[in-house]
Amino acid sequence: MTDNGDRKITIRSATEADVASVLQFIQELADYEKLGHEVIADEARIRDSLFGENPGAEACIAFVDDQPAGFALFYENFSTFIGRKGIHLEDLFVRPEFRGLGLGRKLLVKVAAITRSREYQRLTWQVLDWNEPARQFYFGLKATHLAAWQSFRVTGDALASLAAEAERE
């Protein structure tokens, strides 16, 4: 917990009671990224993904004066080159009315500390090429921009078609 002037700032791991807030943050982030129409997650999916029998992700939440103000959602990955696990930061979002208080940095510091405490070697994330405020924030953290790497994805029909090849083999 830190004090920013007269504002109490708290960063903590999400609990099952935070599922609705996490989903709201996801929707707000998607709306900011002009991808709100792609969100199909609901509270049940988020609860299962974060707190179910086999959780696939974790989250931390930032509070300002006990109000949910931002979040970081992340999951473990693996580097074959290092031969060790790492963490991939899937989402980092601070509500506009709470920006400028250092919450984005505090959330990233929390995830970095989790990464180090587990003796992992990498913390990675992606940013949209048009999101210049985020890009500048990350450069300010001395993050390395991996310009040579491009992301690819298969979903929906393309994923079904690719997976169907296994049935034909």
Side-chain angles (χ1 to χ4, degrees), residues 51-166:
F51 306 104
E53 189 174 315
N54 188 20
E58 300 172 61
C60 293
I61 300 186
F63 293 86
V64 174
D65 299 329
D66 300 321
Q67 295 179 52
F71 86 126
L73 191 139
F74 55 94
Y75 56 88
E76 292 180 347
N77 61 13
F78 184 81
S79 169
T80 57
F81 289 8
I82 297 173
R84 301 287 301 261
K85 288 182 179 180
I87 286 183
H88 181 80
L89 177 65
E90 181 67 18
D91 291 331
L92 178 67
F93 177 75
V94 175
R95 288 184 166 141
E97 63 268 30
F98 296 108
R99 293 181 186 158
L101 298 175
L103 298 179
R105 184 180 189 92
K106 289 179 189 315
L107 284 162
L108 203 49
V109 163
K110 175 75 169 174
V111 176
I114 291 168
T115 304
R116 294 288 297 194
S117 73
R118 295 178 186 176
E119 300 182 9
Y120 296 170
Q121 303 298 306
R122 274 188 188 162
L123 173 58
T124 60
W125 63 87
Q126 296 173 310
V127 63
L128 292 167
D129 60 358
W130 59 261
N131 192 344
E132 196 57 32
R135 290 169 47 84
Q136 291 307 312
F137 170 68
Y138 298 139
F139 284 132
L141 298 172
K142 297 185 171 70
T144 303
H145 178 221
L146 304 173
W149 292 88
Q150 296 183 17
S151 296
F152 289 83
R153 173 185 301 162
V154 291
T155 62
D157 291 342
L159 178 59
S161 176
L162 189 59
E165 288 184 27

